Amino acid sequence: MANVTEQDVISFLKQRITKLENELKKAQSALDLFTEPSSEEPDEPVAQTVKEAKPGRGTRTNKIKTLSVPEEYNPGLKLDGKIAYVLANNGPSFNTDIISKLQEMEPEKDPEKLVKAVMVKLSSLHKAGRIRGAKEGRKFKYQL
């Protein structure tokens, strides 16, 4: 077992303080970006742009694909489209509401598979920023 001296502990703690101060500065910078009033606010919602820094590659811009709402329900739609249709017609909804509406429109679907698929898809759409979700209690209420 290695002997740890008091000087080793002091050195470790100083390094840790420096790292935490750097993280705090980054967090403060991010917070300042969100809290400063923007002089150019768009009149219409526009697809968000995300800039990612890749080491040695400069910056890259990715457009977030907006969720398109179909005019009418069709069982052949992808799950994204089905969820968008339900949210557009019913307004903000909990996952259980969305699942029950989809089961009403497609009663032949296996309920267990539908529940799992919708839960995963809602989570990924929310994380990707394609739908919004507000936490109410222990559940999320999703909307376009």
mmCIF file of all heavy atoms in Angstrom, residues 63-114:
data_model
loop_
_atom_site.group_PDB
_atom_site.id
_atom_site.type_symbol
_atom_site.label_atom_id
_atom_site.label_comp_id
_atom_site.label_asym_id
_atom_site.label_seq_id
_atom_site.Cartn_x
_atom_site.Cartn_y
_atom_site.Cartn_z
ATOM 1 N N LYS A 63 -28.702 20.834 -38.633
ATOM 2 C CA LYS A 63 -30.070 21.320 -38.525
ATOM 3 C C LYS A 63 -30.900 20.253 -37.809
ATOM 4 O O LYS A 63 -30.780 19.078 -38.099
ATOM 5 C CB LYS A 63 -30.673 21.562 -39.908
ATOM 6 C CG LYS A 63 -30.062 22.726 -40.619
ATOM 7 C CD LYS A 63 -30.894 23.934 -40.399
ATOM 8 C CE LYS A 63 -30.332 25.073 -41.222
ATOM 9 N NZ LYS A 63 -30.969 26.285 -40.991
ATOM 10 N N ILE A 64 -31.738 20.696 -36.899
ATOM 11 C CA ILE A 64 -32.661 19.778 -36.257
ATOM 12 C C ILE A 64 -33.895 19.702 -37.136
ATOM 13 O O ILE A 64 -34.521 20.711 -37.432
ATOM 14 C CB ILE A 64 -33.027 20.256 -34.835
ATOM 15 C CG1 ILE A 64 -31.790 20.209 -33.955
ATOM 16 C CG2 ILE A 64 -34.133 19.396 -34.259
ATOM 17 C CD1 ILE A 64 -32.013 20.723 -32.571
ATOM 18 N N LYS A 65 -34.210 18.513 -37.554
ATOM 19 C CA LYS A 65 -35.329 18.289 -38.452
ATOM 20 C C LYS A 65 -36.632 18.495 -37.679
ATOM 21 O O LYS A 65 -36.848 17.883 -36.642
ATOM 22 C CB LYS A 65 -35.233 16.851 -38.957
ATOM 23 C CG LYS A 65 -35.940 16.569 -40.219
ATOM 24 C CD LYS A 65 -35.579 15.150 -40.625
ATOM 25 C CE LYS A 65 -36.367 14.704 -41.809
ATOM 26 N NZ LYS A 65 -36.117 13.302 -42.106
ATOM 27 N N THR A 66 -37.484 19.377 -38.194
ATOM 28 C CA THR A 66 -38.754 19.613 -37.519
ATOM 29 C C THR A 66 -39.691 18.442 -37.761
ATOM 30 O O THR A 66 -39.615 17.769 -38.786
ATOM 31 C CB THR A 66 -39.416 20.915 -38.000
ATOM 32 O OG1 THR A 66 -39.568 20.840 -39.407
ATOM 33 C CG2 THR A 66 -38.587 22.129 -37.628
ATOM 34 N N LEU A 67 -40.582 18.214 -36.840
ATOM 35 C CA LEU A 67 -41.529 17.113 -36.921
ATOM 36 C C LEU A 67 -42.715 17.562 -37.763
ATOM 37 O O LEU A 67 -43.396 18.525 -37.422
ATOM 38 C CB LEU A 67 -41.982 16.729 -35.504
ATOM 39 C CG LEU A 67 -42.659 15.397 -35.339
ATOM 40 C CD1 LEU A 67 -41.747 14.262 -35.775
ATOM 41 C CD2 LEU A 67 -43.028 15.182 -33.883
ATOM 42 N N SER A 68 -42.944 16.911 -38.889
ATOM 43 C CA SER A 68 -44.050 17.309 -39.768
ATOM 44 C C SER A 68 -45.318 16.570 -39.362
ATOM 45 O O SER A 68 -45.289 15.388 -39.029
ATOM 46 C CB SER A 68 -43.705 17.042 -41.221
ATOM 47 O OG SER A 68 -43.484 15.657 -41.423
ATOM 48 N N VAL A 69 -46.430 17.294 -39.407
ATOM 49 C CA VAL A 69 -47.716 16.745 -38.993
ATOM 50 C C VAL A 69 -48.492 16.332 -40.241
ATOM 51 O O VAL A 69 -48.750 17.152 -41.116
ATOM 52 C CB VAL A 69 -48.522 17.796 -38.195
ATOM 53 C CG1 VAL A 69 -49.866 17.228 -37.789
ATOM 54 C CG2 VAL A 69 -47.738 18.264 -36.989
ATOM 55 N N PRO A 70 -48.876 15.053 -40.337
ATOM 56 C CA PRO A 70 -49.671 14.623 -41.489
ATOM 57 C C PRO A 70 -51.087 15.202 -41.416
ATOM 58 O O PRO A 70 -51.611 15.466 -40.332
ATOM 59 C CB PRO A 70 -49.687 13.103 -41.366
ATOM 60 C CG PRO A 70 -49.303 12.800 -39.976
ATOM 61 C CD PRO A 70 -48.544 13.969 -39.441
ATOM 62 N N GLU A 71 -51.692 15.413 -42.588
ATOM 63 C CA GLU A 71 -53.040 15.986 -42.631
ATOM 64 C C GLU A 71 -54.084 15.012 -42.112
ATOM 65 O O GLU A 71 -55.076 15.424 -41.516
ATOM 66 C CB GLU A 71 -53.374 16.425 -44.052
ATOM 67 C CG GLU A 71 -52.542 17.607 -44.504
ATOM 68 C CD GLU A 71 -52.871 18.031 -45.912
ATOM 69 O OE1 GLU A 71 -53.945 17.658 -46.424
ATOM 70 O OE2 GLU A 71 -52.055 18.744 -46.497
ATOM 71 N N GLU A 72 -53.900 13.725 -42.386
ATOM 72 C CA GLU A 72 -54.833 12.723 -41.871
ATOM 73 C C GLU A 72 -54.074 11.488 -41.411
ATOM 74 O O GLU A 72 -52.948 11.250 -41.834
ATOM 75 C CB GLU A 72 -55.882 12.358 -42.917
ATOM 76 C CG GLU A 72 -55.319 11.828 -44.214
ATOM 77 C CD GLU A 72 -56.411 11.582 -45.228
ATOM 78 O OE1 GLU A 72 -57.244 12.468 -45.426
ATOM 79 O OE2 GLU A 72 -56.401 10.487 -45.814
ATOM 80 N N TYR A 73 -54.714 10.724 -40.544
ATOM 81 C CA TYR A 73 -54.066 9.548 -39.978
ATOM 82 C C TYR A 73 -54.064 8.428 -41.005
ATOM 83 O O TYR A 73 -55.030 8.204 -41.727
ATOM 84 C CB TYR A 73 -54.799 9.088 -38.718
ATOM 85 C CG TYR A 73 -54.062 7.980 -38.006
ATOM 86 C CD1 TYR A 73 -53.020 8.271 -37.153
ATOM 87 C CD2 TYR A 73 -54.392 6.648 -38.235
ATOM 88 C CE1 TYR A 73 -52.320 7.265 -36.519
ATOM 89 C CE2 TYR A 73 -53.699 5.636 -37.608
ATOM 90 C CZ TYR A 73 -52.667 5.949 -36.753
ATOM 91 O OH TYR A 73 -51.963 4.952 -36.134
ATOM 92 N N ASN A 74 -52.945 7.720 -41.051
ATOM 93 C CA ASN A 74 -52.792 6.596 -41.961
ATOM 94 C C ASN A 74 -51.976 5.541 -41.223
ATOM 95 O O ASN A 74 -50.895 5.843 -40.729
ATOM 96 C CB ASN A 74 -52.065 7.082 -43.217
ATOM 97 C CG ASN A 74 -51.776 5.979 -44.196
ATOM 98 O OD1 ASN A 74 -51.999 4.801 -43.944
ATOM 99 N ND2 ASN A 74 -51.256 6.367 -45.342
ATOM 100 N N PRO A 75 -52.461 4.296 -41.143
ATOM 101 C CA PRO A 75 -51.700 3.251 -40.445
ATOM 102 C C PRO A 75 -50.311 3.009 -41.037
ATOM 103 O O PRO A 75 -49.438 2.478 -40.368
ATOM 104 C CB PRO A 75 -52.566 2.003 -40.597
ATOM 105 C CG PRO A 75 -53.934 2.506 -40.876
ATOM 106 C CD PRO A 75 -53.764 3.809 -41.597
ATOM 107 N N GLY A 76 -50.084 3.437 -42.277
ATOM 108 C CA GLY A 76 -48.782 3.253 -42.910
ATOM 109 C C GLY A 76 -47.753 4.305 -42.540
ATOM 110 O O GLY A 76 -46.603 4.211 -42.937
ATOM 111 N N LEU A 77 -48.161 5.301 -41.763
ATOM 112 C CA LEU A 77 -47.219 6.348 -41.340
ATOM 113 C C LEU A 77 -46.149 5.769 -40.432
ATOM 114 O O LEU A 77 -46.373 4.775 -39.746
ATOM 115 C CB LEU A 77 -47.953 7.443 -40.552
ATOM 116 C CG LEU A 77 -48.896 8.362 -41.297
ATOM 117 C CD1 LEU A 77 -49.697 9.196 -40.300
ATOM 118 C CD2 LEU A 77 -48.124 9.268 -42.226
ATOM 119 N N LYS A 78 -45.003 6.443 -40.412
ATOM 120 C CA LYS A 78 -43.986 6.090 -39.424
ATOM 121 C C LYS A 78 -44.491 6.522 -38.058
ATOM 122 O O LYS A 78 -45.395 7.362 -37.951
ATOM 123 C CB LYS A 78 -42.667 6.795 -39.737
ATOM 124 C CG LYS A 78 -41.988 6.268 -40.969
ATOM 125 C CD LYS A 78 -40.637 6.921 -41.140
ATOM 126 C CE LYS A 78 -39.905 6.315 -42.319
ATOM 127 N NZ LYS A 78 -38.585 6.908 -42.501
ATOM 128 N N LEU A 79 -43.898 5.976 -37.010
ATOM 129 C CA LEU A 79 -44.334 6.288 -35.650
ATOM 130 C C LEU A 79 -44.206 7.776 -35.335
ATOM 131 O O LEU A 79 -45.049 8.345 -34.641
ATOM 132 C CB LEU A 79 -43.560 5.441 -34.631
ATOM 133 C CG LEU A 79 -44.062 5.458 -33.202
ATOM 134 C CD1 LEU A 79 -45.548 5.112 -33.115
ATOM 135 C CD2 LEU A 79 -43.263 4.507 -32.345
ATOM 136 N N ASP A 80 -43.173 8.432 -35.885
ATOM 137 C CA ASP A 80 -43.022 9.887 -35.696
ATOM 138 C C ASP A 80 -44.282 10.615 -36.173
ATOM 139 O O ASP A 80 -44.791 11.506 -35.505
ATOM 140 C CB ASP A 80 -41.845 10.424 -36.512
ATOM 141 C CG ASP A 80 -40.498 9.931 -36.055
ATOM 142 O OD1 ASP A 80 -40.454 8.999 -35.244
ATOM 143 O OD2 ASP A 80 -39.495 10.490 -36.515
ATOM 144 N N GLY A 81 -44.743 10.253 -37.363
ATOM 145 C CA GLY A 81 -45.912 10.891 -37.948
ATOM 146 C C GLY A 81 -47.172 10.623 -37.151
ATOM 147 O O GLY A 81 -48.022 11.507 -36.985
ATOM 148 N N LYS A 82 -47.307 9.403 -36.660
ATOM 149 C CA LYS A 82 -48.490 9.052 -35.860
ATOM 150 C C LYS A 82 -48.512 9.867 -34.564
ATOM 151 O O LYS A 82 -49.553 10.395 -34.176
ATOM 152 C CB LYS A 82 -48.487 7.554 -35.540
ATOM 153 C CG LYS A 82 -48.681 6.686 -36.761
ATOM 154 C CD LYS A 82 -48.586 5.215 -36.395
ATOM 155 C CE LYS A 82 -48.700 4.336 -37.638
ATOM 156 N NZ LYS A 82 -48.627 2.909 -37.301
ATOM 157 N N ILE A 83 -47.363 9.986 -33.926
ATOM 158 C CA ILE A 83 -47.276 10.765 -32.687
ATOM 159 C C ILE A 83 -47.550 12.235 -32.977
ATOM 160 O O ILE A 83 -48.285 12.898 -32.237
ATOM 161 C CB ILE A 83 -45.899 10.563 -32.015
ATOM 162 C CG1 ILE A 83 -45.793 9.140 -31.464
ATOM 163 C CG2 ILE A 83 -45.662 11.593 -30.924
ATOM 164 C CD1 ILE A 83 -44.423 8.756 -30.969
ATOM 165 N N ALA A 84 -46.994 12.751 -34.068
ATOM 166 C CA ALA A 84 -47.222 14.152 -34.445
ATOM 167 C C ALA A 84 -48.710 14.397 -34.701
ATOM 168 O O ALA A 84 -49.254 15.433 -34.299
ATOM 169 C CB ALA A 84 -46.411 14.507 -35.678
ATOM 170 N N TYR A 85 -49.370 13.456 -35.355
ATOM 171 C CA TYR A 85 -50.803 13.594 -35.642
ATOM 172 C C TYR A 85 -51.602 13.668 -34.339
ATOM 173 O O TYR A 85 -52.470 14.526 -34.174
ATOM 174 C CB TYR A 85 -51.283 12.416 -36.499
ATOM 175 C CG TYR A 85 -52.741 12.479 -36.829
ATOM 176 C CD1 TYR A 85 -53.194 13.266 -37.881
ATOM 177 C CD2 TYR A 85 -53.679 11.769 -36.092
ATOM 178 C CE1 TYR A 85 -54.535 13.343 -38.191
ATOM 179 C CE2 TYR A 85 -55.020 11.842 -36.385
ATOM 180 C CZ TYR A 85 -55.448 12.624 -37.443
ATOM 181 O OH TYR A 85 -56.787 12.695 -37.728
ATOM 182 N N VAL A 86 -51.299 12.776 -33.405
ATOM 183 C CA VAL A 86 -52.018 12.758 -32.120
ATOM 184 C C VAL A 86 -51.769 14.061 -31.359
ATOM 185 O O VAL A 86 -52.709 14.667 -30.836
ATOM 186 C CB VAL A 86 -51.612 11.524 -31.273
ATOM 187 C CG1 VAL A 86 -52.163 11.620 -29.862
ATOM 188 C CG2 VAL A 86 -52.082 10.243 -31.939
ATOM 189 N N LEU A 87 -50.524 14.511 -31.298
ATOM 190 C CA LEU A 87 -50.213 15.742 -30.570
ATOM 191 C C LEU A 87 -50.857 16.961 -31.224
ATOM 192 O O LEU A 87 -51.322 17.870 -30.532
ATOM 193 C CB LEU A 87 -48.699 15.938 -30.465
ATOM 194 C CG LEU A 87 -47.964 14.999 -29.512
ATOM 195 C CD1 LEU A 87 -46.462 15.202 -29.609
ATOM 196 C CD2 LEU A 87 -48.436 15.181 -28.083
ATOM 197 N N ALA A 88 -50.905 16.986 -32.556
ATOM 198 C CA ALA A 88 -51.500 18.120 -33.256
ATOM 199 C C ALA A 88 -53.006 18.186 -33.028
ATOM 200 O O ALA A 88 -53.578 19.276 -32.909
ATOM 201 C CB ALA A 88 -51.206 18.025 -34.747
ATOM 202 N N ASN A 89 -53.653 17.031 -32.952
ATOM 203 C CA ASN A 89 -55.110 17.013 -32.800
ATOM 204 C C ASN A 89 -55.582 17.059 -31.357
ATOM 205 O O ASN A 89 -56.702 17.496 -31.096
ATOM 206 C CB ASN A 89 -55.694 15.786 -33.489
ATOM 207 C CG ASN A 89 -55.583 15.891 -34.988
ATOM 208 O OD1 ASN A 89 -55.923 16.916 -35.561
ATOM 209 N ND2 ASN A 89 -55.077 14.867 -35.631
ATOM 210 N N ASN A 90 -54.761 16.621 -30.419
ATOM 211 C CA ASN A 90 -55.184 16.566 -29.015
ATOM 212 C C ASN A 90 -54.477 17.582 -28.132
ATOM 213 O O ASN A 90 -54.796 17.687 -26.962
ATOM 214 C CB ASN A 90 -54.955 15.162 -28.448
ATOM 215 C CG ASN A 90 -55.777 14.132 -29.167
ATOM 216 O OD1 ASN A 90 -56.807 14.443 -29.748
ATOM 217 N ND2 ASN A 90 -55.328 12.896 -29.144
ATOM 218 N N GLY A 91 -53.485 18.271 -28.661
ATOM 219 C CA GLY A 91 -52.749 19.226 -27.853
ATOM 220 C C GLY A 91 -51.780 18.511 -26.933
ATOM 221 O O GLY A 91 -51.519 17.311 -27.084
ATOM 222 N N PRO A 92 -51.248 19.233 -25.949
ATOM 223 C CA PRO A 92 -50.280 18.620 -25.029
ATOM 224 C C PRO A 92 -50.862 17.374 -24.362
ATOM 225 O O PRO A 92 -51.998 17.400 -23.889
ATOM 226 C CB PRO A 92 -50.025 19.719 -24.005
ATOM 227 C CG PRO A 92 -50.362 20.986 -24.725
ATOM 228 C CD PRO A 92 -51.473 20.635 -25.658
ATOM 229 N N SER A 93 -50.087 16.288 -24.386
ATOM 230 C CA SER A 93 -50.583 15.005 -23.886
ATOM 231 C C SER A 93 -49.494 14.243 -23.150
ATOM 232 O O SER A 93 -48.323 14.346 -23.478
ATOM 233 C CB SER A 93 -51.066 14.137 -25.044
ATOM 234 O OG SER A 93 -52.016 14.791 -25.833
ATOM 235 N N PHE A 94 -49.934 13.432 -22.187
ATOM 236 C CA PHE A 94 -49.034 12.518 -21.504
ATOM 237 C C PHE A 94 -48.832 11.298 -22.396
ATOM 238 O O PHE A 94 -49.638 11.022 -23.297
ATOM 239 C CB PHE A 94 -49.603 12.080 -20.156
ATOM 240 C CG PHE A 94 -49.656 13.175 -19.141
ATOM 241 C CD1 PHE A 94 -50.870 13.733 -18.774
ATOM 242 C CD2 PHE A 94 -48.502 13.663 -18.553
ATOM 243 C CE1 PHE A 94 -50.926 14.750 -17.837
ATOM 244 C CE2 PHE A 94 -48.544 14.669 -17.612
ATOM 245 C CZ PHE A 94 -49.764 15.211 -17.258
ATOM 246 N N ASN A 95 -47.780 10.535 -22.136
ATOM 247 C CA ASN A 95 -47.496 9.360 -22.952
ATOM 248 C C ASN A 95 -48.669 8.377 -22.942
ATOM 249 O O ASN A 95 -48.977 7.772 -23.962
ATOM 250 C CB ASN A 95 -46.195 8.686 -22.515
ATOM 251 C CG ASN A 95 -46.195 8.312 -21.055
ATOM 252 O OD1 ASN A 95 -47.206 8.394 -20.369
ATOM 253 N ND2 ASN A 95 -45.046 7.896 -20.560
ATOM 254 N N THR A 96 -49.335 8.233 -21.813
ATOM 255 C CA THR A 96 -50.467 7.303 -21.737
ATOM 256 C C THR A 96 -51.617 7.747 -22.628
ATOM 257 O O THR A 96 -52.302 6.916 -23.232
ATOM 258 C CB THR A 96 -50.949 7.163 -20.278
ATOM 259 O OG1 THR A 96 -51.170 8.471 -19.738
ATOM 260 C CG2 THR A 96 -49.933 6.436 -19.431
ATOM 261 N N ASP A 97 -51.832 9.073 -22.742
ATOM 262 C CA ASP A 97 -52.884 9.593 -23.624
ATOM 263 C C ASP A 97 -52.544 9.302 -25.084
ATOM 264 O O ASP A 97 -53.416 8.923 -25.872
ATOM 265 C CB ASP A 97 -53.053 11.102 -23.427
ATOM 266 C CG ASP A 97 -53.393 11.480 -21.993
ATOM 267 O OD1 ASP A 97 -54.049 10.667 -21.316
ATOM 268 O OD2 ASP A 97 -52.992 12.576 -21.560
ATOM 269 N N ILE A 98 -51.293 9.509 -25.442
ATOM 270 C CA ILE A 98 -50.852 9.272 -26.821
ATOM 271 C C ILE A 98 -51.015 7.794 -27.160
ATOM 272 O O ILE A 98 -51.543 7.442 -28.223
ATOM 273 C CB ILE A 98 -49.392 9.729 -27.007
ATOM 274 C CG1 ILE A 98 -49.283 11.242 -26.812
ATOM 275 C CG2 ILE A 98 -48.855 9.312 -28.378
ATOM 276 C CD1 ILE A 98 -47.872 11.759 -26.678
ATOM 277 N N ILE A 99 -50.607 6.925 -26.254
ATOM 278 C CA ILE A 99 -50.704 5.483 -26.485
ATOM 279 C C ILE A 99 -52.167 5.062 -26.637
ATOM 280 O O ILE A 99 -52.507 4.305 -27.547
ATOM 281 C CB ILE A 99 -50.017 4.706 -25.338
ATOM 282 C CG1 ILE A 99 -48.500 4.938 -25.399
ATOM 283 C CG2 ILE A 99 -50.336 3.221 -25.399
ATOM 284 C CD1 ILE A 99 -47.742 4.517 -24.162
ATOM 285 N N SER A 100 -53.042 5.576 -25.776
ATOM 286 C CA SER A 100 -54.451 5.175 -25.866
ATOM 287 C C SER A 100 -55.078 5.652 -27.174
ATOM 288 O O SER A 100 -55.876 4.937 -27.781
ATOM 289 C CB SER A 100 -55.243 5.665 -24.655
ATOM 290 O OG SER A 100 -55.269 7.063 -24.602
ATOM 291 N N LYS A 101 -54.720 6.858 -27.653
ATOM 292 C CA LYS A 101 -55.240 7.349 -28.933
ATOM 293 C C LYS A 101 -54.753 6.465 -30.082
ATOM 294 O O LYS A 101 -55.523 6.134 -30.992
ATOM 295 C CB LYS A 101 -54.821 8.799 -29.189
ATOM 296 C CG LYS A 101 -55.585 9.792 -28.383
ATOM 297 C CD LYS A 101 -57.026 9.829 -28.835
ATOM 298 C CE LYS A 101 -57.790 10.851 -28.026
ATOM 299 N NZ LYS A 101 -59.215 10.848 -28.329
ATOM 300 N N LEU A 102 -53.480 6.086 -30.042
ATOM 301 C CA LEU A 102 -52.950 5.228 -31.097
ATOM 302 C C LEU A 102 -53.611 3.852 -31.063
ATOM 303 O O LEU A 102 -53.871 3.259 -32.111
ATOM 304 C CB LEU A 102 -51.427 5.101 -30.977
ATOM 305 C CG LEU A 102 -50.634 6.371 -31.301
ATOM 306 C CD1 LEU A 102 -49.158 6.174 -30.987
ATOM 307 C CD2 LEU A 102 -50.817 6.757 -32.753
ATOM 308 N N GLN A 103 -53.910 3.345 -29.865
ATOM 309 C CA GLN A 103 -54.593 2.057 -29.759
ATOM 310 C C GLN A 103 -56.020 2.151 -30.298
ATOM 311 O O GLN A 103 -56.518 1.208 -30.897
ATOM 312 C CB GLN A 103 -54.604 1.572 -28.308
ATOM 313 C CG GLN A 103 -53.265 1.030 -27.868
ATOM 314 C CD GLN A 103 -53.237 0.637 -26.400
ATOM 315 O OE1 GLN A 103 -53.934 1.216 -25.575
ATOM 316 N NE2 GLN A 103 -52.429 -0.345 -26.083
ATOM 317 N N GLU A 104 -56.678 3.301 -30.091
ATOM 318 C CA GLU A 104 -58.021 3.500 -30.635
ATOM 319 C C GLU A 104 -57.989 3.470 -32.161
ATOM 320 O O GLU A 104 -58.881 2.913 -32.799
ATOM 321 C CB GLU A 104 -58.594 4.854 -30.197
ATOM 322 C CG GLU A 104 -59.058 4.920 -28.782
ATOM 323 C CD GLU A 104 -59.512 6.323 -28.404
ATOM 324 O OE1 GLU A 104 -59.826 7.140 -29.309
ATOM 325 O OE2 GLU A 104 -59.548 6.617 -27.192
ATOM 326 N N MET A 105 -56.973 4.096 -32.749
ATOM 327 C CA MET A 105 -56.890 4.188 -34.198
ATOM 328 C C MET A 105 -56.385 2.895 -34.841
ATOM 329 O O MET A 105 -56.661 2.637 -36.007
ATOM 330 C CB MET A 105 -56.008 5.373 -34.596
ATOM 331 C CG MET A 105 -56.655 6.698 -34.242
ATOM 332 S SD MET A 105 -55.754 8.116 -34.840
ATOM 333 C CE MET A 105 -54.574 8.346 -33.520
ATOM 334 N N GLU A 106 -55.620 2.106 -34.081
ATOM 335 C CA GLU A 106 -55.107 0.839 -34.589
ATOM 336 C C GLU A 106 -55.279 -0.257 -33.532
ATOM 337 O O GLU A 106 -54.316 -0.691 -32.903
ATOM 338 C CB GLU A 106 -53.634 0.973 -34.962
ATOM 339 C CG GLU A 106 -53.374 1.892 -36.129
ATOM 340 C CD GLU A 106 -51.926 1.892 -36.542
ATOM 341 O OE1 GLU A 106 -51.414 0.816 -36.940
ATOM 342 O OE2 GLU A 106 -51.304 2.959 -36.463
ATOM 343 N N PRO A 107 -56.521 -0.722 -33.326
ATOM 344 C CA PRO A 107 -56.769 -1.714 -32.269
ATOM 345 C C PRO A 107 -56.103 -3.064 -32.527
ATOM 346 O O PRO A 107 -55.926 -3.847 -31.592
ATOM 347 C CB PRO A 107 -58.294 -1.846 -32.253
ATOM 348 C CG PRO A 107 -58.762 -1.312 -33.552
ATOM 349 C CD PRO A 107 -57.733 -0.345 -34.019
ATOM 350 N N GLU A 108 -55.721 -3.352 -33.773
ATOM 351 C CA GLU A 108 -55.109 -4.639 -34.088
ATOM 352 C C GLU A 108 -53.649 -4.727 -33.641
ATOM 353 O O GLU A 108 -53.070 -5.803 -33.605
ATOM 354 C CB GLU A 108 -55.214 -4.937 -35.590
ATOM 355 C CG GLU A 108 -54.340 -4.075 -36.486
ATOM 356 C CD GLU A 108 -54.875 -2.685 -36.783
ATOM 357 O OE1 GLU A 108 -55.983 -2.327 -36.346
ATOM 358 O OE2 GLU A 108 -54.160 -1.932 -37.452
ATOM 359 N N LYS A 109 -53.039 -3.609 -33.300
ATOM 360 C CA LYS A 109 -51.635 -3.596 -32.874
ATOM 361 C C LYS A 109 -51.475 -4.258 -31.502
ATOM 362 O O LYS A 109 -52.344 -4.147 -30.642
ATOM 363 C CB LYS A 109 -51.099 -2.162 -32.780
ATOM 364 C CG LYS A 109 -50.973 -1.463 -34.103
ATOM 365 C CD LYS A 109 -49.680 -1.814 -34.766
ATOM 366 C CE LYS A 109 -49.504 -0.952 -36.001
ATOM 367 N NZ LYS A 109 -48.382 -1.320 -36.779
ATOM 368 N N ASP A 110 -50.340 -4.907 -31.310
ATOM 369 C CA ASP A 110 -50.019 -5.524 -30.022
ATOM 370 C C ASP A 110 -49.793 -4.404 -28.998
ATOM 371 O O ASP A 110 -48.878 -3.592 -29.168
ATOM 372 C CB ASP A 110 -48.765 -6.384 -30.159
ATOM 373 C CG ASP A 110 -48.349 -7.063 -28.868
ATOM 374 O OD1 ASP A 110 -49.134 -7.038 -27.899
ATOM 375 O OD2 ASP A 110 -47.236 -7.625 -28.827
ATOM 376 N N PRO A 111 -50.613 -4.332 -27.944
ATOM 377 C CA PRO A 111 -50.506 -3.227 -26.978
ATOM 378 C C PRO A 111 -49.135 -3.116 -26.310
ATOM 379 O O PRO A 111 -48.634 -2.019 -26.117
ATOM 380 C CB PRO A 111 -51.587 -3.531 -25.941
ATOM 381 C CG PRO A 111 -52.511 -4.498 -26.587
ATOM 382 C CD PRO A 111 -51.717 -5.228 -27.622
ATOM 383 N N GLU A 112 -48.533 -4.244 -25.963
ATOM 384 C CA GLU A 112 -47.227 -4.194 -25.290
ATOM 385 C C GLU A 112 -46.158 -3.611 -26.210
ATOM 386 O O GLU A 112 -45.357 -2.771 -25.797
ATOM 387 C CB GLU A 112 -46.798 -5.586 -24.830
ATOM 388 C CG GLU A 112 -47.501 -6.044 -23.578
ATOM 389 C CD GLU A 112 -46.959 -7.366 -23.071
ATOM 390 O OE1 GLU A 112 -45.745 -7.625 -23.242
ATOM 391 O OE2 GLU A 112 -47.747 -8.124 -22.497
ATOM 392 N N LYS A 113 -46.146 -4.042 -27.462
ATOM 393 C CA LYS A 113 -45.159 -3.525 -28.415
ATOM 394 C C LYS A 113 -45.394 -2.049 -28.684
ATOM 395 O O LYS A 113 -44.438 -1.272 -28.802
ATOM 396 C CB LYS A 113 -45.226 -4.308 -29.723
ATOM 397 C CG LYS A 113 -44.651 -5.696 -29.633
ATOM 398 C CD LYS A 113 -44.676 -6.378 -30.978
ATOM 399 C CE LYS A 113 -44.097 -7.776 -30.899
ATOM 400 N NZ LYS A 113 -44.145 -8.469 -32.190
ATOM 401 N N LEU A 114 -46.665 -1.655 -28.780
ATOM 402 C CA LEU A 114 -46.986 -0.262 -29.031
ATOM 403 C C LEU A 114 -46.509 0.617 -27.885
ATOM 404 O O LEU A 114 -45.909 1.666 -28.108
ATOM 405 C CB LEU A 114 -48.493 -0.091 -29.244
ATOM 406 C CG LEU A 114 -48.957 1.321 -29.575
ATOM 407 C CD1 LEU A 114 -48.408 1.757 -30.924
ATOM 408 C CD2 LEU A 114 -50.465 1.399 -29.567
#
